[in-house]
Amino acid sequence: IDREKFTKTVRLIALRVPKAKCQFYMKALRGLVLDIPRQQSVVRDPSDDSTRLLLLKEEVKDGSLPTMSEERRAEIGVDALERTTHDLVLSYDYFNAEQVLRRLLPEGCDVPGSFETVGHIAHLNLRDEVLEYKHVIGRVLLDKNPRLKTVVNKVGSIESEFRVPTWELLAGDTSLETEVRQHGIPFKLDFGEVYWNSRLEAEHKRLIEQIRPGEILCDAMCGIGPFAVPAAKAGRRVYANDLNPSCARYTRVNCVGNKVKNLVKCYNMCAREFIRKLLRPGKVEDTGETTVGTDGKRRAVQWAATGEDVDGEPPSGAVFDHVTMNLPATAIEFLDVFKGAFDRETWAGHHLPVIHVYTFKRGTETVEDVVRRGEGHLGAAIANPTVHEVRDVAPNKIMLCLSFRITSDAAFPPEDGTKGNEAKRAKIGD
């Protein structure tokens, strides 16, 4: 970038004003005084230290200010002020990114008007017509945004196993490890290895607020912990899992960094395997805390209490109150893992969990169609579902959260007809 080509000198009319009366004349001449970003309207007078130069707008060509009435000029004494000129030099540093790019790119090219940031990283999704100028665009964005250190562009569609985009470096630091904050909570991540979307902050907060004291969250597709960490910060216990090893690692890092690792167990495996292991028959330890069971009585909160720094295997016999499945491209297909997988003895007296599964609604699909799609994958009816619209992803593509409490008919395997099982079934609530 030849920065010298952007240097521009503008000759302005200036009024020589006593130093003590600058504020008075700036107010009295509002609408005529220079008002452009990052430029002062009052500058030092090189010929007299007791006065200052009040700069007028470039559009003001007549120093006599004919647009102002004689009465007003007399009232403020503007005619008594000496007129002069001042050369205002505007350099590359003055112009914003859009102004610079409009001069650098061919006429008619679509100038990138906005971008998203993740920590110190700006990420773009450039159109084919400007790819030839991608490095220039990256350099300009870096120049004009001091908080940025790196500019990247998305390459191709998301096809990786872990749903992580491929990024091409356009300008700046090669490191994609950064830190973001949501509701005051810091999260570390490597943007080249994990998925992160800052637009989901409100959704994370909305869902976490539904988890009551004493309840446990099963976060089956936890990413770097945007549900798990805030839930733990609010005092809730969490089983967190992600197939992506980098996500699982950063969940641990973020739990430790936010001093909540004692409340979060972190795992790295397929979500189906993770849920199956938690739902195996067994019993985990009591925490000493209690919650209200289906019979209205207080029951012990059970938790994999194997030490803060020990995660081990997902514990058999785990019970939990909410399940989050935030992988909207495919998460709804995982609902089949719950069908008939719950152990009656383990869950006797416990409320069955509320499942929150994220998915996309496309084209002419209705909310009812989304629920039916969920029922198809679950293999059972969904009772009293709620569907929350999260955000518009693209034209005819909306991200939704389908929430429902799994019913006993869907959760438990068929009865064997014995008296013992009938008695257990009577104690189990939906």
Side-chain angles (χ1 to χ4, degrees):
I1 300 173
D2 185 354
R3 300 189 178 195
E4 292 301 319
K5 288 184 177 180
F6 289 86
T7 301
K8 175 184 178 182
T9 301
V10 181
R11 178 153 290 186
L12 302 172
I13 294 175
L15 304 180
R16 189 166 274 121
V17 178
K19 192 191 311 187
K21 300 204 71 175
C22 287
Q23 289 296 325
F24 169 79
Y25 279 109
M26 285 178 65
K27 184 177 180 180
L29 297 173
R30 185 175 296 156
L32 299 174
V33 174
L34 181 71
D35 184 17
I36 60 176
R38 302 179 300 283
Q39 296 297 321
Q40 295 180 335
S41 57
V42 177
V43 298
R44 291 183 63 86
D45 184 350
S47 64
D48 188 346
D49 194 50
S50 67
T51 60
R52 294 290 183 266
L53 299 183
L54 180 61
L55 308 182
L56 303 184
K57 289 182 175 180
E58 186 179 3
E59 294 83 1
V60 178
K61 303 299 183 183
D62 188 341
S64 65
L65 308 180
T67 59
M68 183 178 292
S69 69
E70 290 186 14
E71 292 81 5
R72 180 58 176 163
R73 289 208 302 272
E75 180 185 354
I76 64 176
V78 71
D79 290 340
L81 299 176
E82 182 182 346
R83 272 62 169 170
T84 185
T85 59
H86 175 78
D87 287 338
L88 178 65
V89 179
L90 302 177
S91 65
Y92 173 83
D93 292 337
Y94 165 74
F95 299 99
N96 63 34
E98 183 177 356
Q99 291 169 325
V100 171
L101 289 173
R102 287 201 182 281
R103 289 186 58 180
L104 291 175
L105 301 186
E107 188 174 350
C109 267
D110 185 24
V111 173
S114 62
F115 54 87
E116 294 191 32
T117 61
V118 175
H120 69 265
I121 302 164
H123 58 98
L124 310 174
N125 191 1
L126 295 177
R127 296 183 178 182
D128 291 343
E129 66 185 58
V130 296
L131 287 179
E132 180 181 351
Y133 311 98
K134 59 189 178 184
H135 294 294
V136 171
I137 293 170
R139 183 70 256 170
V140 171
L141 293 181
L142 213 55
D143 287 344
K144 299 301 177 180
N145 297 275
R147 294 182 180 180
L148 297 180
K149 296 181 181 178
T150 304
V151 181
V152 295
N153 182 49
K154 182 181 174 184
V155 178
S157 57
I158 301 177
E159 297 178 350
S160 68
E161 180 184 12
F162 302 137
R163 308 298 298 168
V164 178
T166 300
W167 301 108
E168 177 187 19
L169 179 69
L170 301 187
D173 194 335
T174 58
S175 173
L176 296 184
E177 187 168 52
T178 189
E179 183 173 295
V180 297
R181 299 183 77 86
Q182 281 202 351
H183 299 291
I185 300 174
F187 292 89
K188 291 184 178 179
L189 61 99
D190 188 316
F191 197 51
E193 297 180 0
V194 305
Y195 177 82
W196 176 264
N197 190 329
S198 300
R199 295 182 180 183
L200 297 177
E201 181 171 3
E203 176 60 16
H204 297 150
K205 183 175 185 293
R206 181 192 73 87
L207 197 140
I208 291 163
E209 288 176 344
Q210 298 181 36
I211 306 173
R212 297 177 299 183
E215 293 187 333
I216 294 174
L217 170 65
C218 170
D219 193 358
M221 302 161 179
C222 67
I224 64 164
F227 287 123
V229 176
K233 290 283 283 185
R236 315 304 188 248
R237 299 175 186 274
V238 185
Y239 296 110
N241 171 75
D242 203 279
L243 178 64
N244 183 341
S246 294
C247 285
R249 177 167 62 87
Y250 276 105
T251 297
R252 292 188 186 94
V253 167
N254 291 323
C255 287
V256 172
N258 284 284
K259 300 180 180 179
V260 293
K261 184 61 185 71
N262 61 310
L263 294 175
V264 183
K265 297 301 177 186
C266 304
Y267 307 99
N268 172 213
M269 61 186 67
C270 170
R272 277 195 178 88
E273 179 186 3
F274 168 65
I275 293 169
R276 284 177 182 142
K277 287 186 174 183
L278 290 177
L279 292 177
R280 289 177 304 190
K283 190 177 188 306
V284 295
E285 298 182 39
D286 293 344
T287 63
E289 300 175 22
T290 60
T291 188
V292 178
T294 58
D295 55 4
K297 297 180 181 178
R298 301 203 70 83
R299 304 178 61 86
V301 173
Q302 297 171 324
W303 175 247
T306 54
E308 177 177 340
D309 298 323
V310 180
D311 293 314
E313 283 286 301
S316 302
V319 293
F320 39 84
D321 304 278
H322 294 265
V323 181
T324 47
M325 304 173 73
N326 187 14
L327 188 65
T330 59
I332 200 167
E333 299 171 12
F334 286 72
L335 289 178
D336 61 345
V337 73
F338 296 105
K339 184 65 162 59
F342 289 72
D343 176 61
R344 294 183 184 277
E345 184 174 349
T346 300
W347 285 83
H350 291 280
H351 292 287
L352 289 169
V354 177
I355 299 171
H356 309 274
V357 58
Y358 290 86
T359 188
F360 293 125
K361 181 170 78 71
R362 301 176 186 272
T364 58
E365 194 176 24
T366 66
V367 167
E368 291 74 20
D369 293 332
V370 172
V371 174
R372 281 193 289 270
R373 184 151 49 89
E375 290 175 328
H377 290 293
L378 178 64
I382 291 176
N384 304 314
T386 61
V387 178
H388 174 74
E389 186 173 311
V390 178
R391 71 183 189 96
D392 286 335
V393 177
N396 299 315
K397 185 178 181 182
I398 299 173
M399 181 179 175
L400 302 176
C401 178
L402 168 63
S403 299
F404 61 94
R405 189 182 297 277
I406 190 169
T407 64
S408 57
D409 287 341
F412 299 109
E415 293 279 18
D416 62 9
T418 65
K419 279 189 177 182
N421 279 336
E422 287 294 333
K424 289 175 187 175
R425 186 177 186 182
K427 293 182 181 180
I428 293 169
D430 290 344

